[in-house]
Amino acid sequence: MENLPLFRDVPVPERQSLFLRKLQICSIVFEFNDSLKFAREKETKRQTLVELVDFVQSGSGRLSEPVQEDLIRMIGINIFRCLPPASHENTGSENADPEEEDPYLDPAWPHLQIIYELLLRYVVSSDTDTKIAKRYIDHSFVLRLLDLFDSEDPRERECLKTILHRIYGKFMVHRPFIRKVINNIFYRFIFETERHSGISELLEILGRGAQAVPDSCTYPLHKPKAMAAYHQQLSYCITQFVEKDYKLADTVIRGLLKYWPVTNCQKEVLFLGELEEVLEATQPTEFQRCMVPLFKQIARCLNSYHFQVAERALFLWNNDHVVSLIAQHRGIIFPIIFDAIEKNMQGHWNQAVHGLTANVRKMFLDMDTQLFENCQQQFIEKEAKAKAQDEQRQTAWRRLEAAAAAKSSTENMVLV
């Protein structure tokens, strides 16, 4: 590697040529697992990269098209690489929780970070002409950039998120393609691998530039076991859809109900929190369309033996907007959930759940005494009917047992 002069030490007309020569130095890729190997050359490259970042950031002059082409080529040579095997691939373990694994830190990061910074400065620079830049930051470049989101190094994913968000904002022509590729990554994650390091970052990108219509892969993202790792970002995306178009509330709520967890209580608590955020943005007309299946599910949650699920469902009544929606349609909602409330009052094992249920029950009573009494009378009648049916079954079983015993006794006598 030759030692090149600094930009400030050469005349302005020669700086573009010097920029190209510095790009050639930075196109040399080193192995970083051995920190002592080529240490001097690595440091020369690092200092050269810093100079390039300062030059682009300072706005010292618009880069010519050949320089921009070589710049993107150099960046690609350095960042587009085979990612190391994930930790679960190295160990062969399948059941390890990604949240519990120590994050992988790429030894090449001191150089990669500067290269990502250079790409970011190039993208956001006011001197960068989008019409020219899109020839080099094309679909192929964007696709390979998105592939890097599977990196296990969180620092790299954070840089990629920032850069891709800027590309999404500046290159409008790429937006449909970016959404399509992200959806394909999601589909592969949901239906094939259930392993990807960058789902939360990709959801943040979609959430910031959320469309008015949910993508078809948004709801199935609630299905994987690892949902808790990216649920905050997923919930934000879902809520954005309703806030941007309130008419989507019915569609969104039914999408949540379709993928409601059956045996995973931790996920169920997350679903209830997400549901409350969606209901916050829901108008009465859309609420009316989905309230019957919605409160059938909430009634099941109220009776959950897992106290956190029951508790989180009862917390919905702490939300004034949700209570106002319920009050407007209490004639339909009260009968759906009344049985669940009474059963909790009669015998839920958890005292906190019992106390919260008592508060909700009193709220119903204060809201509409007549309707409460009607529901209570229907509940008493159903309980009495169920008790009578149970007694009939018990009597029938006793008769069958007696008949079977008598038949067995007769057969034994004949044999004797």
Side-chain angles (χ1 to χ4, degrees), residues 56-96:
V56 173
Q57 190 172 5
S58 66
S60 301
R62 181 170 296 204
L63 300 177
S64 66
E65 187 169 345
V67 171
Q68 293 183 54
E69 182 178 7
D70 278 13
L71 171 63
I72 299 302
R73 183 185 296 116
M74 182 278 291
I75 291 171
I77 287 170
N78 281 275
I79 66 173
F80 297 142
R81 66 209 190 278
C82 290
L83 296 173
S87 53
H88 71 278
E89 293 173 342
N90 282 332
T91 60
S93 62
E94 295 182 2
N95 300 320

Side-chain angles (χ1 to χ4, degrees), residues 261-310:
V262 178
T263 58
N264 190 324
C265 296
Q266 283 72 30
K267 282 180 69 174
E268 204 163 5
V269 171
L270 294 175
F271 268 61
L272 286 164
E274 185 176 346
L275 177 63
E276 182 175 356
E277 291 184 19
V278 172
L279 287 174
E280 278 273 10
T282 301
Q283 300 301 314
T285 306
E286 280 62 45
F287 178 77
Q288 188 175 4
R289 292 175 183 166
C290 62
M291 61 185 178
V292 173
L294 171 61
F295 277 88
K296 284 182 178 178
Q297 181 60 59
I298 290 174
R300 287 190 285 271
C301 294
L302 291 173
N303 287 148
S304 172
Y305 286 115
H306 195 290
F307 78 97
Q308 289 179 329
V309 175

Side-chain angles (χ1 to χ4, degrees), residues 200-242:
S200 57
E201 287 84 2
L202 292 171
L203 279 167
E204 280 190 52
I205 293 166
L206 284 186
R208 291 178 183 178
Q211 304 162 264
V213 180
D215 294 307
S216 56
C217 63
T218 308
Y219 305 125
L221 276 170
H222 290 85
K223 186 178 179 181
K225 296 175 184 177
M227 185 200 74
Y230 56 81
H231 179 260
Q232 182 180 354
Q233 292 81 6
L234 177 60
S235 179
Y236 176 76
C237 280
I238 291 288
T239 309
Q240 285 290 296
F241 296 139
V242 182

Side-chain angles (χ1 to χ4, degrees), residues 13-57:
E14 296 179 16
R15 289 179 181 175
Q16 299 273 329
S17 175
L18 179 60
F19 197 99
L20 284 171
R21 291 167 66 193
K22 289 181 182 288
L23 287 177
Q24 290 175 355
I25 289 177
C26 296
S27 296
I28 300 171
V29 179
F30 294 101
E31 173 60 53
F32 283 86
N33 287 325
D34 184 351
S35 59
L36 299 178
K37 194 174 182 180
F38 299 114
R40 185 182 64 81
E41 289 82 355
K42 290 174 184 176
E43 180 59 23
T44 300
K45 178 181 176 180
R46 191 193 67 78
Q47 291 176 0
T48 306
L49 284 168
V50 171
E51 289 179 44
L52 293 176
V53 172
D54 291 340
F55 184 86
V56 173
Q57 190 172 5

